């Protein structure tokens, strides 16, 4: 369930207005002095409020509750740019990890469609190595390429150099070996 941006902004604006109003009322009520009458004799004094302060106390409690609840709403529901961007679209956007996965799938699918054209430009060994990486969904450790193609380590390394020069694959260092990625 996604909410549209104006609805979120409207709720936030209303809560901000309530928070500011409650703050002002609370400050005014607390800072306005109550009338106090001191009644006493020579040795003792008692303080009594001149008039019943029930309504003042009740108003302070009510305004404090409104102040606290609107403040918590603002604190817990502060809109940020990522939520605003997401809320402004009617369709659900994938998160960054899903987006990367979709891009990877698109690259692999594109490479599979271009396979015949690409294979014509490659030697037999380069073609076998490229096909092994393509069959592994675009990511394969270099050591596994050696196992899958029955080529020597040196042959695979030279073929990968050529494939990298043609911008078809990329090697990345991982630990003591390399990972081969489709470009």
């Amino acid at each position: 369930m996604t909410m549209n941006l104006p609805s979120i902004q409207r709720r936030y604006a209303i809560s901000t207005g309530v928070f500011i109003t409650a703050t002002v009322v609370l400050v005014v009520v607390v800072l306005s002095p109550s009338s106090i009458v001191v009644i006493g004799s020579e040795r003792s004094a008692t303080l009594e409020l001149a008039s019943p302060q029930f309504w003042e106390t009740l108003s302070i409690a009510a305004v404090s509750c409104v102040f606290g609840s609107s403040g918590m709403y603002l604190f817990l529901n502060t809109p940020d740019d990522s939520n605003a961007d997401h809320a402004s679209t009617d369709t659900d956007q994938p998160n960054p990890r899903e987006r990367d996965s979709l891009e990877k799938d698109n690259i692999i699918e594109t490479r599979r469609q271009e396979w015949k054209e690409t294979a014509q430009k490659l030697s037999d060994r380069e073609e076998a190595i490229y096909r092994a990486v393509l069959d592994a969904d675009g990511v394969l450790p270099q050591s596994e390429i050696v196992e899958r193609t029955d080529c020597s380590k040196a042959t695979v390394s030279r073929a990968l150099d050529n494939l990298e020069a043609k911008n078809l694959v990329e090697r990345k260092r991982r630990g003591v070996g390399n990972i081969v990625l489709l470009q």
Side-chain angles (χ1 to χ4, degrees):
M1 179 177 144
T2 60
M3 299 179 75
N4 60 6
L5 186 59
S7 174
I8 293 172
Q9 287 177 336
R10 190 172 27 253
R11 286 182 182 175
Y12 193 75
I14 290 169
S15 185
T16 302
V18 168
F19 183 77
I20 291 170
T21 304
T23 303
V24 170
V25 169
L26 191 59
V27 167
V28 168
V29 169
V30 168
L31 292 181
S32 64
S34 301
S35 36
I36 300 175
V37 176
V38 177
I39 304 172
S41 63
E42 289 182 25
R43 293 187 176 199
S44 66
T46 56
L47 261 38
E48 293 182 13
L49 296 173
S51 62
Q53 301 298 320
F54 174 74
W55 293 111
E56 186 175 316
T57 305
L58 185 63
S59 65
I60 289 175
V63 170
S64 296
C65 289
V66 170
F67 175 80
S69 61
S70 61
M72 286 305 292
Y73 178 83
L74 291 173
F75 178 74
L76 296 175
N77 295 307
T78 301
D80 59 339
D81 292 338
S82 63
N83 287 343
D85 290 343
H86 180 68
S88 65
T89 60
D90 291 335
T91 60
D92 288 333
Q93 295 292 325
N95 66 33
R97 185 173 287 167
E98 290 172 341
R99 190 171 38 246
D100 290 345
S101 177
L102 290 172
E103 288 174 7
K104 177 186 166 198
D105 291 343
N106 288 339
I107 290 172
I108 293 168
E109 193 57 38
T110 302
R111 296 299 179 259
R112 285 186 176 141
Q113 291 171 358
E114 297 170 346
W115 169 244
K116 288 183 182 180
E117 183 181 317
T118 303
Q120 293 174 357
K121 301 175 188 176
L122 303 175
S123 70
D124 290 340
R125 293 190 196 266
E126 291 171 346
E127 182 180 339
I129 290 169
Y130 187 82
R131 184 68 183 170
V133 176
L134 188 62
D135 289 343
D137 291 333
V139 180
L140 191 63
Q142 188 170 336
S143 59
E144 278 197 43
I145 295 173
V146 172
E147 293 172 14
R148 290 185 185 194
T149 60
D150 293 327
C151 297
S152 69
K153 291 180 182 180
T155 302
V156 168
S157 182
R158 280 192 305 271
L160 286 173
D161 288 339
N162 294 337
L163 290 171
E164 279 185 309
K166 295 175 183 176
N167 290 322
L168 294 173
V169 297
E170 175 185 7
R171 281 184 279 195
K172 291 195 175 186
R173 196 79 168 140
R174 294 290 186 266
V176 293
N178 292 323
I179 299 290
V180 180
L181 308 164
L182 285 183
Q183 285 280 314

PDB file of all heavy atoms in Angstrom, residues 2-35:
ATOM      1  N   THR A   2       0.828   2.017  -1.070  1.00  0.00           N
ATOM      2  CA  THR A   2       1.628   3.221  -1.129  1.00  0.00           C
ATOM      3  C   THR A   2       0.735   4.435  -1.007  1.00  0.00           C
ATOM      4  O   THR A   2      -0.397   4.443  -1.465  1.00  0.00           O
ATOM      5  CB  THR A   2       2.405   3.296  -2.457  1.00  0.00           C
ATOM      6  OG1 THR A   2       1.465   3.296  -3.528  1.00  0.00           O
ATOM      7  CG2 THR A   2       3.366   2.138  -2.595  1.00  0.00           C
ATOM      8  N   MET A   3       1.270   5.457  -0.361  1.00  0.00           N
ATOM      9  CA  MET A   3       0.519   6.693  -0.190  1.00  0.00           C
ATOM     10  C   MET A   3       1.090   7.717  -1.158  1.00  0.00           C
ATOM     11  O   MET A   3       2.278   7.703  -1.447  1.00  0.00           O
ATOM     12  CB  MET A   3       0.666   7.196   1.246  1.00  0.00           C
ATOM     13  CG  MET A   3       0.136   6.223   2.272  1.00  0.00           C
ATOM     14  SD  MET A   3       0.376   6.848   3.922  1.00  0.00           S
ATOM     15  CE  MET A   3      -0.904   8.070   3.976  1.00  0.00           C
ATOM     16  N   ASN A   4       0.240   8.608  -1.626  1.00  0.00           N
ATOM     17  CA  ASN A   4       0.769   9.618  -2.521  1.00  0.00           C
ATOM     18  C   ASN A   4       1.433  10.726  -1.726  1.00  0.00           C
ATOM     19  O   ASN A   4       1.167  10.931  -0.560  1.00  0.00           O
ATOM     20  CB  ASN A   4      -0.327  10.156  -3.455  1.00  0.00           C
ATOM     21  CG  ASN A   4      -1.484  10.786  -2.687  1.00  0.00           C
ATOM     22  OD1 ASN A   4      -1.424  10.922  -1.474  1.00  0.00           O
ATOM     23  ND2 ASN A   4      -2.517  11.146  -3.403  1.00  0.00           N
ATOM     24  N   LEU A   5       2.310  11.462  -2.383  1.00  0.00           N
ATOM     25  CA  LEU A   5       3.121  12.468  -1.721  1.00  0.00           C
ATOM     26  C   LEU A   5       2.302  13.583  -1.096  1.00  0.00           C
ATOM     27  O   LEU A   5       2.572  13.963   0.041  1.00  0.00           O
ATOM     28  CB  LEU A   5       4.150  13.031  -2.708  1.00  0.00           C
ATOM     29  CG  LEU A   5       5.174  13.987  -2.133  1.00  0.00           C
ATOM     30  CD1 LEU A   5       5.954  13.308  -1.032  1.00  0.00           C
ATOM     31  CD2 LEU A   5       6.103  14.459  -3.218  1.00  0.00           C
ATOM     32  N   PRO A   6       1.280  14.158  -1.770  1.00  0.00           N
ATOM     33  CA  PRO A   6       0.522  15.237  -1.124  1.00  0.00           C
ATOM     34  C   PRO A   6      -0.125  14.801   0.185  1.00  0.00           C
ATOM     35  O   PRO A   6      -0.198  15.583   1.128  1.00  0.00           O
ATOM     36  CB  PRO A   6      -0.532  15.608  -2.167  1.00  0.00           C
ATOM     37  CG  PRO A   6       0.088  15.235  -3.470  1.00  0.00           C
ATOM     38  CD  PRO A   6       0.891  13.994  -3.159  1.00  0.00           C
ATOM     39  N   SER A   7      -0.587  13.565   0.298  1.00  0.00           N
ATOM     40  CA  SER A   7      -1.195  13.065   1.532  1.00  0.00           C
ATOM     41  C   SER A   7      -0.177  13.049   2.666  1.00  0.00           C
ATOM     42  O   SER A   7      -0.475  13.448   3.787  1.00  0.00           O
ATOM     43  CB  SER A   7      -1.760  11.662   1.308  1.00  0.00           C
ATOM     44  OG  SER A   7      -2.213  11.121   2.510  1.00  0.00           O
ATOM     45  N   ILE A   8       1.025  12.604   2.387  1.00  0.00           N
ATOM     46  CA  ILE A   8       2.085  12.565   3.395  1.00  0.00           C
ATOM     47  C   ILE A   8       2.463  13.987   3.795  1.00  0.00           C
ATOM     48  O   ILE A   8       2.599  14.289   4.975  1.00  0.00           O
ATOM     49  CB  ILE A   8       3.312  11.796   2.868  1.00  0.00           C
ATOM     50  CG1 ILE A   8       2.965  10.319   2.692  1.00  0.00           C
ATOM     51  CG2 ILE A   8       4.498  11.958   3.808  1.00  0.00           C
ATOM     52  CD1 ILE A   8       4.029   9.522   2.001  1.00  0.00           C
ATOM     53  N   GLN A   9       2.610  14.873   2.825  1.00  0.00           N
ATOM     54  CA  GLN A   9       2.963  16.259   3.128  1.00  0.00           C
ATOM     55  C   GLN A   9       1.859  16.935   3.942  1.00  0.00           C
ATOM     56  O   GLN A   9       2.140  17.707   4.855  1.00  0.00           O
ATOM     57  CB  GLN A   9       3.212  17.044   1.843  1.00  0.00           C
ATOM     58  CG  GLN A   9       4.512  16.684   1.169  1.00  0.00           C
ATOM     59  CD  GLN A   9       4.704  17.420  -0.139  1.00  0.00           C
ATOM     60  OE1 GLN A   9       3.757  17.854  -0.769  1.00  0.00           O
ATOM     61  NE2 GLN A   9       5.955  17.536  -0.551  1.00  0.00           N
ATOM     62  N   ARG A  10       0.615  16.654   3.619  1.00  0.00           N
ATOM     63  CA  ARG A  10      -0.514  17.252   4.337  1.00  0.00           C
ATOM     64  C   ARG A  10      -0.515  16.796   5.794  1.00  0.00           C
ATOM     65  O   ARG A  10      -0.644  17.609   6.707  1.00  0.00           O
ATOM     66  CB  ARG A  10      -1.819  16.871   3.632  1.00  0.00           C
ATOM     67  CG  ARG A  10      -3.030  17.612   4.118  1.00  0.00           C
ATOM     68  CD  ARG A  10      -4.288  17.365   3.283  1.00  0.00           C
ATOM     69  NE  ARG A  10      -4.369  16.095   2.592  1.00  0.00           N
ATOM     70  CZ  ARG A  10      -4.219  15.937   1.257  1.00  0.00           C
ATOM     71  NH1 ARG A  10      -3.989  16.964   0.496  1.00  0.00           N
ATOM     72  NH2 ARG A  10      -4.308  14.755   0.714  1.00  0.00           N
ATOM     73  N   ARG A  11      -0.337  15.507   6.031  1.00  0.00           N
ATOM     74  CA  ARG A  11      -0.293  14.988   7.398  1.00  0.00           C
ATOM     75  C   ARG A  11       0.871  15.583   8.177  1.00  0.00           C
ATOM     76  O   ARG A  11       0.742  15.945   9.340  1.00  0.00           O
ATOM     77  CB  ARG A  11      -0.181  13.471   7.403  1.00  0.00           C
ATOM     78  CG  ARG A  11      -1.453  12.775   7.026  1.00  0.00           C
ATOM     79  CD  ARG A  11      -1.273  11.294   7.112  1.00  0.00           C
ATOM     80  NE  ARG A  11      -2.488  10.620   6.699  1.00  0.00           N
ATOM     81  CZ  ARG A  11      -2.591   9.327   6.576  1.00  0.00           C
ATOM     82  NH1 ARG A  11      -1.560   8.562   6.834  1.00  0.00           N
ATOM     83  NH2 ARG A  11      -3.720   8.776   6.196  1.00  0.00           N
ATOM     84  N   TYR A  12       2.001  15.676   7.532  1.00  0.00           N
ATOM     85  CA  TYR A  12       3.180  16.238   8.185  1.00  0.00           C
ATOM     86  C   TYR A  12       2.962  17.714   8.506  1.00  0.00           C
ATOM     87  O   TYR A  12       3.308  18.178   9.588  1.00  0.00           O
ATOM     88  CB  TYR A  12       4.400  16.049   7.281  1.00  0.00           C
ATOM     89  CG  TYR A  12       5.707  16.297   7.981  1.00  0.00           C
ATOM     90  CD1 TYR A  12       6.224  15.371   8.875  1.00  0.00           C
ATOM     91  CD2 TYR A  12       6.425  17.462   7.758  1.00  0.00           C
ATOM     92  CE1 TYR A  12       7.416  15.594   9.532  1.00  0.00           C
ATOM     93  CE2 TYR A  12       7.622  17.694   8.409  1.00  0.00           C
ATOM     94  CZ  TYR A  12       8.122  16.758   9.288  1.00  0.00           C
ATOM     95  OH  TYR A  12       9.294  16.984   9.932  1.00  0.00           O
ATOM     96  N   ALA A  13       2.372  18.461   7.589  1.00  0.00           N
ATOM     97  CA  ALA A  13       2.106  19.889   7.808  1.00  0.00           C
ATOM     98  C   ALA A  13       1.107  20.084   8.951  1.00  0.00           C
ATOM     99  O   ALA A  13       1.296  20.967   9.808  1.00  0.00           O
ATOM    100  CB  ALA A  13       1.596  20.534   6.532  1.00  0.00           C
ATOM    101  N   ILE A  14       0.050  19.288   8.993  1.00  0.00           N
ATOM    102  CA  ILE A  14      -0.941  19.399  10.070  1.00  0.00           C
ATOM    103  C   ILE A  14      -0.292  19.085  11.411  1.00  0.00           C
ATOM    104  O   ILE A  14      -0.482  19.811  12.399  1.00  0.00           O
ATOM    105  CB  ILE A  14      -2.149  18.467   9.804  1.00  0.00           C
ATOM    106  CG1 ILE A  14      -2.970  19.003   8.624  1.00  0.00           C
ATOM    107  CG2 ILE A  14      -3.021  18.326  11.048  1.00  0.00           C
ATOM    108  CD1 ILE A  14      -4.019  18.028   8.119  1.00  0.00           C
ATOM    109  N   SER A  15       0.491  18.018  11.462  1.00  0.00           N
ATOM    110  CA  SER A  15       1.135  17.646  12.708  1.00  0.00           C
ATOM    111  C   SER A  15       2.135  18.717  13.151  1.00  0.00           C
ATOM    112  O   SER A  15       2.248  19.012  14.337  1.00  0.00           O
ATOM    113  CB  SER A  15       1.842  16.303  12.554  1.00  0.00           C
ATOM    114  OG  SER A  15       2.365  15.884  13.778  1.00  0.00           O
ATOM    115  N   THR A  16       2.830  19.319  12.203  1.00  0.00           N
ATOM    116  CA  THR A  16       3.758  20.401  12.535  1.00  0.00           C
ATOM    117  C   THR A  16       3.002  21.595  13.112  1.00  0.00           C
ATOM    118  O   THR A  16       3.418  22.192  14.107  1.00  0.00           O
ATOM    119  CB  THR A  16       4.561  20.827  11.295  1.00  0.00           C
ATOM    120  OG1 THR A  16       5.256  19.690  10.789  1.00  0.00           O
ATOM    121  CG2 THR A  16       5.554  21.921  11.628  1.00  0.00           C
ATOM    122  N   GLY A  17       1.870  21.954  12.503  1.00  0.00           N
ATOM    123  CA  GLY A  17       1.050  23.057  13.006  1.00  0.00           C
ATOM    124  C   GLY A  17       0.537  22.789  14.403  1.00  0.00           C
ATOM    125  O   GLY A  17       0.562  23.672  15.278  1.00  0.00           O
ATOM    126  N   VAL A  18       0.057  21.574  14.655  1.00  0.00           N
ATOM    127  CA  VAL A  18      -0.436  21.202  15.990  1.00  0.00           C
ATOM    128  C   VAL A  18       0.700  21.257  16.999  1.00  0.00           C
ATOM    129  O   VAL A  18       0.532  21.752  18.121  1.00  0.00           O
ATOM    130  CB  VAL A  18      -1.087  19.798  15.954  1.00  0.00           C
ATOM    131  CG1 VAL A  18      -1.344  19.264  17.351  1.00  0.00           C
ATOM    132  CG2 VAL A  18      -2.377  19.834  15.154  1.00  0.00           C
ATOM    133  N   PHE A  19       1.854  20.779  16.618  1.00  0.00           N
ATOM    134  CA  PHE A  19       3.016  20.781  17.509  1.00  0.00           C
ATOM    135  C   PHE A  19       3.406  22.207  17.896  1.00  0.00           C
ATOM    136  O   PHE A  19       3.627  22.507  19.072  1.00  0.00           O
ATOM    137  CB  PHE A  19       4.188  20.067  16.827  1.00  0.00           C
ATOM    138  CG  PHE A  19       5.414  19.942  17.684  1.00  0.00           C
ATOM    139  CD1 PHE A  19       5.478  18.997  18.687  1.00  0.00           C
ATOM    140  CD2 PHE A  19       6.508  20.768  17.484  1.00  0.00           C
ATOM    141  CE1 PHE A  19       6.605  18.863  19.475  1.00  0.00           C
ATOM    142  CE2 PHE A  19       7.634  20.648  18.267  1.00  0.00           C
ATOM    143  CZ  PHE A  19       7.684  19.691  19.262  1.00  0.00           C
ATOM    144  N   ILE A  20       3.476  23.103  16.920  1.00  0.00           N
ATOM    145  CA  ILE A  20       3.857  24.492  17.195  1.00  0.00           C
ATOM    146  C   ILE A  20       2.794  25.180  18.053  1.00  0.00           C
ATOM    147  O   ILE A  20       3.122  25.880  19.024  1.00  0.00           O
ATOM    148  CB  ILE A  20       4.101  25.254  15.877  1.00  0.00           C
ATOM    149  CG1 ILE A  20       5.370  24.704  15.213  1.00  0.00           C
ATOM    150  CG2 ILE A  20       4.217  26.763  16.112  1.00  0.00           C
ATOM    151  CD1 ILE A  20       5.591  25.196  13.801  1.00  0.00           C
ATOM    152  N   THR A  21       1.505  24.971  17.735  1.00  0.00           N
ATOM    153  CA  THR A  21       0.425  25.574  18.524  1.00  0.00           C
ATOM    154  C   THR A  21       0.461  25.073  19.964  1.00  0.00           C
ATOM    155  O   THR A  21       0.336  25.864  20.909  1.00  0.00           O
ATOM    156  CB  THR A  21      -0.941  25.256  17.884  1.00  0.00           C
ATOM    157  OG1 THR A  21      -0.926  25.716  16.539  1.00  0.00           O
ATOM    158  CG2 THR A  21      -2.075  25.913  18.638  1.00  0.00           C
ATOM    159  N   ALA A  22       0.621  23.774  20.149  1.00  0.00           N
ATOM    160  CA  ALA A  22       0.677  23.205  21.494  1.00  0.00           C
ATOM    161  C   ALA A  22       1.878  23.753  22.256  1.00  0.00           C
ATOM    162  O   ALA A  22       1.782  24.019  23.464  1.00  0.00           O
ATOM    163  CB  ALA A  22       0.735  21.683  21.428  1.00  0.00           C
ATOM    164  N   THR A  23       2.979  23.935  21.574  1.00  0.00           N
ATOM    165  CA  THR A  23       4.169  24.494  22.215  1.00  0.00           C
ATOM    166  C   THR A  23       3.901  25.911  22.722  1.00  0.00           C
ATOM    167  O   THR A  23       4.221  26.244  23.866  1.00  0.00           O
ATOM    168  CB  THR A  23       5.359  24.504  21.241  1.00  0.00           C
ATOM    169  OG1 THR A  23       5.586  23.174  20.771  1.00  0.00           O
ATOM    170  CG2 THR A  23       6.613  25.034  21.897  1.00  0.00           C
ATOM    171  N   VAL A  24       3.300  26.733  21.869  1.00  0.00           N
ATOM    172  CA  VAL A  24       3.001  28.122  22.251  1.00  0.00           C
ATOM    173  C   VAL A  24       2.027  28.160  23.432  1.00  0.00           C
ATOM    174  O   VAL A  24       2.239  28.882  24.407  1.00  0.00           O
ATOM    175  CB  VAL A  24       2.461  28.912  21.041  1.00  0.00           C
ATOM    176  CG1 VAL A  24       1.907  30.268  21.465  1.00  0.00           C
ATOM    177  CG2 VAL A  24       3.547  29.080  19.991  1.00  0.00           C
ATOM    178  N   VAL A  25       0.942  27.380  23.353  1.00  0.00           N
ATOM    179  CA  VAL A  25      -0.047  27.366  24.439  1.00  0.00           C
ATOM    180  C   VAL A  25       0.598  26.892  25.734  1.00  0.00           C
ATOM    181  O   VAL A  25       0.371  27.476  26.800  1.00  0.00           O
ATOM    182  CB  VAL A  25      -1.263  26.482  24.057  1.00  0.00           C
ATOM    183  CG1 VAL A  25      -2.169  26.239  25.248  1.00  0.00           C
ATOM    184  CG2 VAL A  25      -2.034  27.110  22.913  1.00  0.00           C
ATOM    185  N   LEU A  26       1.395  25.851  25.664  1.00  0.00           N
ATOM    186  CA  LEU A  26       2.043  25.329  26.862  1.00  0.00           C
ATOM    187  C   LEU A  26       2.985  26.360  27.482  1.00  0.00           C
ATOM    188  O   LEU A  26       2.981  26.564  28.701  1.00  0.00           O
ATOM    189  CB  LEU A  26       2.812  24.048  26.531  1.00  0.00           C
ATOM    190  CG  LEU A  26       3.333  23.224  27.691  1.00  0.00           C
ATOM    191  CD1 LEU A  26       2.191  22.783  28.591  1.00  0.00           C
ATOM    192  CD2 LEU A  26       4.088  22.018  27.187  1.00  0.00           C
ATOM    193  N   VAL A  27       3.752  27.042  26.662  1.00  0.00           N
ATOM    194  CA  VAL A  27       4.666  28.071  27.178  1.00  0.00           C
ATOM    195  C   VAL A  27       3.887  29.209  27.814  1.00  0.00           C
ATOM    196  O   VAL A  27       4.229  29.683  28.901  1.00  0.00           O
ATOM    197  CB  VAL A  27       5.586  28.579  26.043  1.00  0.00           C
ATOM    198  CG1 VAL A  27       6.320  29.848  26.447  1.00  0.00           C
ATOM    199  CG2 VAL A  27       6.585  27.497  25.653  1.00  0.00           C
ATOM    200  N   VAL A  28       2.805  29.656  27.163  1.00  0.00           N
ATOM    201  CA  VAL A  28       2.005  30.758  27.709  1.00  0.00           C
ATOM    202  C   VAL A  28       1.374  30.365  29.040  1.00  0.00           C
ATOM    203  O   VAL A  28       1.409  31.120  30.012  1.00  0.00           O
ATOM    204  CB  VAL A  28       0.930  31.213  26.696  1.00  0.00           C
ATOM    205  CG1 VAL A  28      -0.095  32.130  27.342  1.00  0.00           C
ATOM    206  CG2 VAL A  28       1.586  31.893  25.511  1.00  0.00           C
ATOM    207  N   VAL A  29       0.804  29.177  29.114  1.00  0.00           N
ATOM    208  CA  VAL A  29       0.141  28.733  30.348  1.00  0.00           C
ATOM    209  C   VAL A  29       1.142  28.553  31.475  1.00  0.00           C
ATOM    210  O   VAL A  29       0.899  28.950  32.609  1.00  0.00           O
ATOM    211  CB  VAL A  29      -0.658  27.430  30.100  1.00  0.00           C
ATOM    212  CG1 VAL A  29      -1.116  26.810  31.398  1.00  0.00           C
ATOM    213  CG2 VAL A  29      -1.838  27.706  29.193  1.00  0.00           C
ATOM    214  N   VAL A  30       2.284  27.988  31.173  1.00  0.00           N
ATOM    215  CA  VAL A  30       3.280  27.733  32.212  1.00  0.00           C
ATOM    216  C   VAL A  30       3.920  29.037  32.690  1.00  0.00           C
ATOM    217  O   VAL A  30       4.170  29.220  33.885  1.00  0.00           O
ATOM    218  CB  VAL A  30       4.352  26.738  31.721  1.00  0.00           C
ATOM    219  CG1 VAL A  30       5.536  26.683  32.658  1.00  0.00           C
ATOM    220  CG2 VAL A  30       3.746  25.360  31.559  1.00  0.00           C
ATOM    221  N   LEU A  31       4.170  29.960  31.785  1.00  0.00           N
ATOM    222  CA  LEU A  31       4.846  31.189  32.166  1.00  0.00           C
ATOM    223  C   LEU A  31       3.927  32.249  32.761  1.00  0.00           C
ATOM    224  O   LEU A  31       4.398  33.205  33.358  1.00  0.00           O
ATOM    225  CB  LEU A  31       5.592  31.783  30.959  1.00  0.00           C
ATOM    226  CG  LEU A  31       6.779  30.975  30.461  1.00  0.00           C
ATOM    227  CD1 LEU A  31       7.436  31.681  29.292  1.00  0.00           C
ATOM    228  CD2 LEU A  31       7.795  30.738  31.564  1.00  0.00           C
ATOM    229  N   SER A  32       2.616  32.113  32.586  1.00  0.00           N
ATOM    230  CA  SER A  32       1.712  33.101  33.192  1.00  0.00           C
ATOM    231  C   SER A  32       1.574  32.775  34.677  1.00  0.00           C
ATOM    232  O   SER A  32       1.222  31.657  35.050  1.00  0.00           O
ATOM    233  CB  SER A  32       0.349  33.088  32.503  1.00  0.00           C
ATOM    234  OG  SER A  32      -0.288  31.854  32.691  1.00  0.00           O
ATOM    235  N   PRO A  33       1.862  33.732  35.524  1.00  0.00           N
ATOM    236  CA  PRO A  33       1.830  33.443  36.960  1.00  0.00           C
ATOM    237  C   PRO A  33       0.396  33.285  37.472  1.00  0.00           C
ATOM    238  O   PRO A  33      -0.518  33.956  37.032  1.00  0.00           O
ATOM    239  CB  PRO A  33       2.493  34.673  37.584  1.00  0.00           C
ATOM    240  CG  PRO A  33       2.293  35.756  36.580  1.00  0.00           C
ATOM    241  CD  PRO A  33       2.249  35.088  35.234  1.00  0.00           C
ATOM    242  N   SER A  34       0.240  32.349  38.365  1.00  0.00           N
ATOM    243  CA  SER A  34      -1.051  32.160  39.033  1.00  0.00           C
ATOM    244  C   SER A  34      -1.101  33.104  40.228  1.00  0.00           C
ATOM    245  O   SER A  34      -0.081  33.435  40.824  1.00  0.00           O
ATOM    246  CB  SER A  34      -1.204  30.723  39.531  1.00  0.00           C
ATOM    247  OG  SER A  34      -1.099  29.835  38.459  1.00  0.00           O
ATOM    248  N   SER A  35      -2.303  33.510  40.561  1.00  0.00           N
ATOM    249  CA  SER A  35      -2.409  34.381  41.744  1.00  0.00           C
ATOM    250  C   SER A  35      -2.364  33.520  42.994  1.00  0.00           C
ATOM    251  O   SER A  35      -3.066  32.525  43.115  1.00  0.00           O
ATOM    252  CB  SER A  35      -3.684  35.213  41.697  1.00  0.00           C
ATOM    253  OG  SER A  35      -4.736  34.508  41.144  1.00  0.00           O
TER     254      SER A  35
END
